[in-house]
Amino acid sequence: MTVWEAVAVFGAGVAAGAINAVVGSGSLITFPTLVAVGIDPVVANVSNNIGLVPGSFTGAYGYRAELAGQRERLLRLGPASAIGSLIGGILLLFLDPRVFQVVVPVLIGLACVLVVVQPKLNGWLSARRKNDDPHGGVLLWLGVLGAGIYGGYFGAAQGVLLIGLLGSFLTEPLQRVNAAKNVLSLIVNGTAAVLFVFIAHVDWWAVLAVALGATVGGFVGAKVGRRIPAPVLRGIIVCVGIVAIIKLVYG
Protein backbone atom coordinates (compact mmCIF):
# COMPACT_ATOMS: atom_id res chain seq x y z
CA MET A 1 0.00 0.00 0.00
CA THR A 2 1.04 3.58 -0.62
CA VAL A 3 0.94 6.11 2.21
CA TRP A 4 -2.38 7.54 0.98
CA GLU A 5 -3.89 4.08 0.64
CA ALA A 6 -2.81 3.33 4.20
CA VAL A 7 -4.44 6.58 5.36
CA ALA A 8 -7.66 5.62 3.56
CA VAL A 9 -7.66 2.17 5.19
CA PHE A 10 -6.96 3.76 8.60
CA GLY A 11 -9.91 6.13 8.12
CA ALA A 12 -12.13 3.21 7.13
CA GLY A 13 -10.95 1.42 10.28
CA VAL A 14 -11.96 4.36 12.47
CA ALA A 15 -15.44 4.42 10.92
CA ALA A 16 -15.77 0.64 11.16
CA GLY A 17 -14.70 0.53 14.81
CA ALA A 18 -17.23 3.21 15.72
CA ILE A 19 -20.07 1.56 13.78
CA ASN A 20 -19.27 -1.88 15.21
CA ALA A 21 -19.49 -0.52 18.76
CA VAL A 22 -22.91 1.03 18.10
CA VAL A 23 -24.47 -1.46 15.66
CA GLY A 24 -22.07 -3.88 14.04
CA SER A 25 -21.48 -3.73 10.30
CA GLY A 26 -18.13 -2.01 10.03
CA SER A 27 -16.85 -4.56 7.53
CA LEU A 28 -19.12 -2.95 4.94
CA ILE A 29 -16.65 -0.04 5.05
CA THR A 30 -13.25 -1.66 5.59
CA PHE A 31 -13.66 -4.69 3.32
CA PRO A 32 -14.52 -2.69 0.15
CA THR A 33 -11.72 -0.24 1.00
CA LEU A 34 -9.13 -3.03 1.18
CA VAL A 35 -10.35 -4.47 -2.12
CA ALA A 36 -10.25 -0.98 -3.67
CA VAL A 37 -6.55 -0.58 -2.81
CA GLY A 38 -5.78 -3.79 -4.69
CA ILE A 39 -5.91 -6.57 -2.09
CA ASP A 40 -7.35 -9.94 -3.12
CA PRO A 41 -10.94 -10.28 -1.77
CA VAL A 42 -10.27 -13.40 0.33
CA VAL A 43 -7.04 -11.94 1.72
CA ALA A 44 -8.88 -8.66 2.34
CA ASN A 45 -11.64 -10.48 4.23
CA VAL A 46 -9.13 -12.36 6.38
CA SER A 47 -6.96 -9.29 7.04
CA ASN A 48 -10.02 -7.18 7.79
CA ASN A 49 -11.26 -9.68 10.36
CA ILE A 50 -7.95 -9.71 12.20
CA GLY A 51 -7.61 -5.93 12.04
CA LEU A 52 -11.04 -5.32 13.55
CA VAL A 53 -10.30 -7.35 16.71
CA PRO A 54 -8.72 -4.43 18.67
CA GLY A 55 -11.73 -2.26 17.78
CA SER A 56 -14.07 -4.99 19.01
CA PHE A 57 -12.18 -5.01 22.31
CA THR A 58 -12.32 -1.24 22.81
CA GLY A 59 -16.00 -1.22 21.87
CA ALA A 60 -16.77 -3.93 24.43
CA TYR A 61 -14.66 -2.15 27.07
CA GLY A 62 -16.53 1.08 26.45
CA TYR A 63 -19.79 -0.69 27.37
CA ARG A 64 -18.41 -2.19 30.61
CA ALA A 65 -21.04 -0.45 32.76
CA GLU A 66 -23.84 -2.11 30.75
CA LEU A 67 -22.07 -5.47 31.07
CA ALA A 68 -22.52 -5.55 34.84
CA GLY A 69 -24.40 -8.69 35.87
CA GLN A 70 -24.06 -10.40 32.48
CA ARG A 71 -20.99 -12.51 33.24
CA GLU A 72 -22.82 -15.84 33.59
CA ARG A 73 -24.87 -15.18 30.46
CA LEU A 74 -21.78 -14.44 28.38
CA LEU A 75 -19.98 -17.47 29.76
CA ARG A 76 -22.87 -19.57 28.43
CA LEU A 77 -23.21 -17.86 25.06
CA GLY A 78 -19.51 -17.24 24.45
CA PRO A 79 -18.70 -20.86 23.49
CA ALA A 80 -21.49 -20.76 20.89
CA SER A 81 -19.86 -17.70 19.31
CA ALA A 82 -16.42 -19.33 19.37
CA ILE A 83 -17.56 -22.64 17.88
CA GLY A 84 -19.62 -20.87 15.22
CA SER A 85 -16.70 -18.62 14.33
CA LEU A 86 -14.40 -21.60 13.76
CA ILE A 87 -16.98 -23.20 11.49
CA GLY A 88 -17.50 -19.95 9.59
CA GLY A 89 -13.77 -19.37 9.17
CA ILE A 90 -13.30 -22.83 7.69
CA LEU A 91 -16.26 -22.27 5.36
CA LEU A 92 -14.69 -19.02 4.17
CA LEU A 93 -11.60 -20.87 3.00
CA PHE A 94 -13.32 -23.90 1.47
CA LEU A 95 -16.97 -23.15 0.60
CA ASP A 96 -18.31 -21.71 -2.66
CA PRO A 97 -19.16 -18.08 -1.71
CA ARG A 98 -22.32 -18.13 -3.88
CA VAL A 99 -24.07 -20.14 -1.14
CA PHE A 100 -23.87 -17.29 1.35
CA GLN A 101 -24.71 -14.64 -1.25
CA VAL A 102 -28.24 -16.03 -1.19
CA VAL A 103 -28.59 -16.78 2.52
CA VAL A 104 -26.93 -13.75 4.14
CA PRO A 105 -29.31 -10.98 2.90
CA VAL A 106 -32.26 -13.06 4.12
CA LEU A 107 -30.68 -13.43 7.57
CA ILE A 108 -29.98 -9.70 7.85
CA GLY A 109 -33.52 -8.88 6.74
CA LEU A 110 -34.93 -11.22 9.39
CA ALA A 111 -32.70 -9.62 12.02
CA CYS A 112 -34.01 -6.15 11.07
CA VAL A 113 -37.57 -7.38 11.50
CA LEU A 114 -36.69 -8.82 14.92
CA VAL A 115 -35.16 -5.50 15.99
CA VAL A 116 -38.34 -3.60 14.98
CA VAL A 117 -40.81 -5.97 16.64
CA GLN A 118 -38.56 -6.82 19.61
CA PRO A 119 -40.51 -4.91 22.32
CA LYS A 120 -43.83 -6.59 21.46
CA LEU A 121 -42.17 -9.92 20.72
CA ASN A 122 -40.45 -9.86 24.10
CA GLY A 123 -43.77 -9.40 25.89
CA TRP A 124 -45.43 -12.10 23.80
CA LEU A 125 -42.64 -14.62 24.47
CA SER A 126 -42.48 -13.80 28.18
CA ALA A 127 -46.23 -14.31 28.56
CA ARG A 128 -45.99 -17.79 27.05
CA ARG A 129 -42.81 -19.05 28.73
CA LYS A 130 -43.54 -20.90 31.96
CA ASN A 131 -39.96 -20.76 33.20
CA ASP A 132 -38.27 -17.70 31.80
CA ASP A 133 -34.57 -18.41 31.22
CA PRO A 134 -32.60 -15.20 31.98
CA HIS A 135 -29.95 -16.34 29.51
CA GLY A 136 -32.24 -17.10 26.57
CA GLY A 137 -32.25 -20.89 26.70
CA VAL A 138 -31.25 -23.40 24.03
CA LEU A 139 -32.86 -21.52 21.15
CA LEU A 140 -30.80 -18.39 21.80
CA TRP A 141 -27.63 -20.50 22.17
CA LEU A 142 -28.27 -22.07 18.76
CA GLY A 143 -29.05 -18.66 17.27
CA VAL A 144 -25.77 -17.25 18.61
CA LEU A 145 -24.00 -20.29 17.15
CA GLY A 146 -25.51 -19.48 13.74
CA ALA A 147 -24.55 -15.82 14.04
CA GLY A 148 -21.02 -16.95 14.92
CA ILE A 149 -20.84 -19.06 11.76
CA TYR A 150 -21.87 -16.05 9.70
CA GLY A 151 -19.47 -13.77 11.60
CA GLY A 152 -16.53 -16.10 11.07
CA TYR A 153 -17.35 -16.33 7.38
CA PHE A 154 -17.75 -12.63 6.61
CA GLY A 155 -18.92 -10.60 9.61
CA ALA A 156 -20.60 -7.59 8.00
CA ALA A 157 -23.81 -6.87 9.95
CA GLN A 158 -23.27 -9.73 12.38
CA GLY A 159 -24.08 -7.17 15.06
CA VAL A 160 -27.53 -6.66 13.54
CA LEU A 161 -28.11 -10.42 13.68
CA LEU A 162 -26.94 -10.64 17.29
CA ILE A 163 -29.00 -7.67 18.48
CA GLY A 164 -32.08 -9.15 16.80
CA LEU A 165 -31.51 -12.50 18.52
CA LEU A 166 -30.49 -11.23 21.95
CA GLY A 167 -33.20 -8.59 22.04
CA SER A 168 -35.88 -11.17 21.21
CA PHE A 169 -34.90 -13.75 23.82
CA LEU A 170 -33.65 -11.57 26.68
CA THR A 171 -35.69 -9.22 28.87
CA GLU A 172 -32.99 -6.55 28.91
CA PRO A 173 -32.83 -2.88 27.81
CA LEU A 174 -31.41 -2.39 24.33
CA GLN A 175 -28.15 -0.85 25.57
CA ARG A 176 -27.41 -3.91 27.73
CA VAL A 177 -28.23 -6.11 24.74
CA ASN A 178 -25.80 -4.02 22.69
CA ALA A 179 -23.10 -4.47 25.33
CA ALA A 180 -23.53 -8.26 25.23
CA LYS A 181 -23.45 -8.10 21.43
CA ASN A 182 -20.08 -6.35 21.55
CA VAL A 183 -18.55 -9.08 23.71
CA LEU A 184 -19.92 -11.89 21.52
CA SER A 185 -18.69 -10.10 18.38
CA LEU A 186 -15.26 -9.81 20.00
CA ILE A 187 -15.26 -13.57 20.62
CA VAL A 188 -16.27 -14.26 17.01
CA ASN A 189 -13.66 -11.93 15.53
CA GLY A 190 -10.93 -13.05 17.91
CA THR A 191 -11.53 -16.76 17.32
CA ALA A 192 -11.60 -16.34 13.54
CA ALA A 193 -8.46 -14.20 13.71
CA VAL A 194 -6.50 -16.94 15.50
CA LEU A 195 -7.65 -19.46 12.90
CA PHE A 196 -6.71 -17.19 9.98
CA VAL A 197 -3.26 -16.42 11.40
CA PHE A 198 -2.37 -20.11 11.19
CA ILE A 199 -4.07 -21.29 8.00
CA ALA A 200 -4.68 -18.26 5.74
CA HIS A 201 -2.65 -15.69 3.85
CA VAL A 202 -2.66 -12.35 5.70
CA ASP A 203 -1.68 -8.86 4.56
CA TRP A 204 -0.16 -7.56 7.80
CA TRP A 205 0.14 -3.95 6.62
CA ALA A 206 -3.59 -3.97 5.98
CA VAL A 207 -4.16 -5.51 9.41
CA LEU A 208 -2.08 -2.77 11.05
CA ALA A 209 -3.91 0.08 9.32
CA VAL A 210 -7.35 -1.36 10.09
CA ALA A 211 -6.39 -2.21 13.68
CA LEU A 212 -5.11 1.27 14.51
CA GLY A 213 -8.21 2.90 13.06
CA ALA A 214 -10.64 0.44 14.62
CA THR A 215 -9.08 0.89 18.08
CA VAL A 216 -9.77 4.62 17.95
CA GLY A 217 -13.20 4.12 16.43
CA GLY A 218 -14.21 1.57 19.06
CA PHE A 219 -13.63 4.08 21.88
CA VAL A 220 -15.50 6.83 20.04
CA GLY A 221 -18.40 4.57 19.07
CA ALA A 222 -18.87 3.26 22.60
CA LYS A 223 -18.85 6.79 24.07
CA VAL A 224 -21.47 7.99 21.58
CA GLY A 225 -23.53 4.79 21.36
CA ARG A 226 -24.19 4.57 25.10
CA ARG A 227 -25.97 7.94 24.95
CA ILE A 228 -28.34 7.08 22.09
CA PRO A 229 -32.00 6.53 23.20
CA ALA A 230 -33.34 3.02 22.53
CA PRO A 231 -35.87 4.02 19.81
CA VAL A 232 -33.21 5.99 17.92
CA LEU A 233 -30.70 3.16 18.27
CA ARG A 234 -33.32 0.73 17.00
CA GLY A 235 -33.85 2.93 13.94
CA ILE A 236 -30.11 3.15 13.28
CA ILE A 237 -29.78 -0.63 13.49
CA VAL A 238 -32.57 -1.15 10.95
CA CYS A 239 -31.14 1.47 8.56
CA VAL A 240 -27.70 -0.13 8.72
CA GLY A 241 -29.26 -3.54 8.13
CA ILE A 242 -31.09 -2.28 5.02
CA VAL A 243 -27.87 -0.73 3.68
CA ALA A 244 -26.08 -4.04 4.33
CA ILE A 245 -28.71 -5.96 2.34
CA ILE A 246 -28.52 -3.52 -0.59
CA LYS A 247 -24.72 -3.63 -0.52
CA LEU A 248 -24.54 -7.42 -0.42
CA VAL A 249 -27.21 -7.94 -3.09
CA TYR A 250 -26.27 -5.21 -5.56
CA GLY A 251 -22.58 -4.69 -4.75
Side-chain angles (χ1 to χ4, degrees):
M1 285 188 292
T2 67
V3 173
W4 290 112
E5 287 174 340
V7 170
V9 173
F10 171 82
V14 173
I19 291 172
N20 280 343
V22 178
V23 183
S25 61
S27 290
L28 293 175
I29 298 174
T30 46
F31 175 71
T33 303
L34 292 174
V35 173
V37 300
I39 300 175
D40 174 81
V42 174
V43 176
N45 195 9
V46 167
S47 304
N48 176 63
N49 181 288
I50 299 172
L52 288 176
V53 171
S56 297
F57 176 80
T58 55
Y61 180 77
Y63 273 84
R64 60 193 180 279
E66 286 77 13
L67 287 171
Q70 299 200 68
R71 183 173 181 272
E72 184 178 352
R73 172 181 297 148
L74 293 171
L75 286 174
R76 292 190 183 194
L77 296 176
S81 289
I83 294 169
S85 179
L86 286 174
I87 296 172
I90 293 171
L91 291 176
L92 170 66
L93 300 176
F94 299 105
L95 188 67
D96 186 336
R98 289 177 293 183
V99 175
F100 273 69
Q101 287 176 358
V102 176
V103 175
V104 167
V106 176
L107 291 176
I108 297 174
L110 177 59
C112 289
V113 173
L114 288 176
V115 170
V116 171
V117 304
Q118 178 214 320
K120 290 187 177 181
L121 182 61
N122 248 343
W124 186 86
L125 290 173
S126 297
R128 284 157 179 76
R129 283 195 294 250
K130 293 182 180 179
N131 297 310
D132 214 14
D133 190 329
H135 307 302
V138 175
L139 287 178
L140 178 58
W141 196 95
L142 292 174
V144 170
L145 174 70
I149 293 173
Y150 169 61
Y153 183 85
F154 182 47
Q158 70 163 314
V160 178
L161 292 173
L162 283 170
I163 289 175
L165 287 165
L166 296 171
S168 297
F169 285 91
L170 301 176
T171 55
E172 292 279 10
L174 189 57
Q175 290 291 6
R176 281 177 60 80
V177 167
N178 200 25
K181 175 269 295 180
N182 283 342
V183 173
L184 295 177
S185 295
L186 171 61
I187 293 172
V188 170
N189 291 339
T191 302
V194 172
L195 175 68
F196 294 151
V197 165
F198 286 103
I199 68 173
H201 178 64
V202 179
D203 186 321
W204 289 106
W205 287 112
V207 169
L208 179 62
V210 172
L212 291 175
T215 300
V216 175
F219 274 120
V220 174
K223 184 177 283 289
V224 173
R226 293 176 64 240
R227 292 171 169 79
I228 300 176
V232 176
L233 180 58
R234 207 178 304 280
I236 293 173
I237 293 167
V238 172
C239 289
V240 170
I242 292 171
V243 171
I245 293 171
I246 295 172
K247 180 71 177 177
L248 291 170
V249 172
Y250 298 104

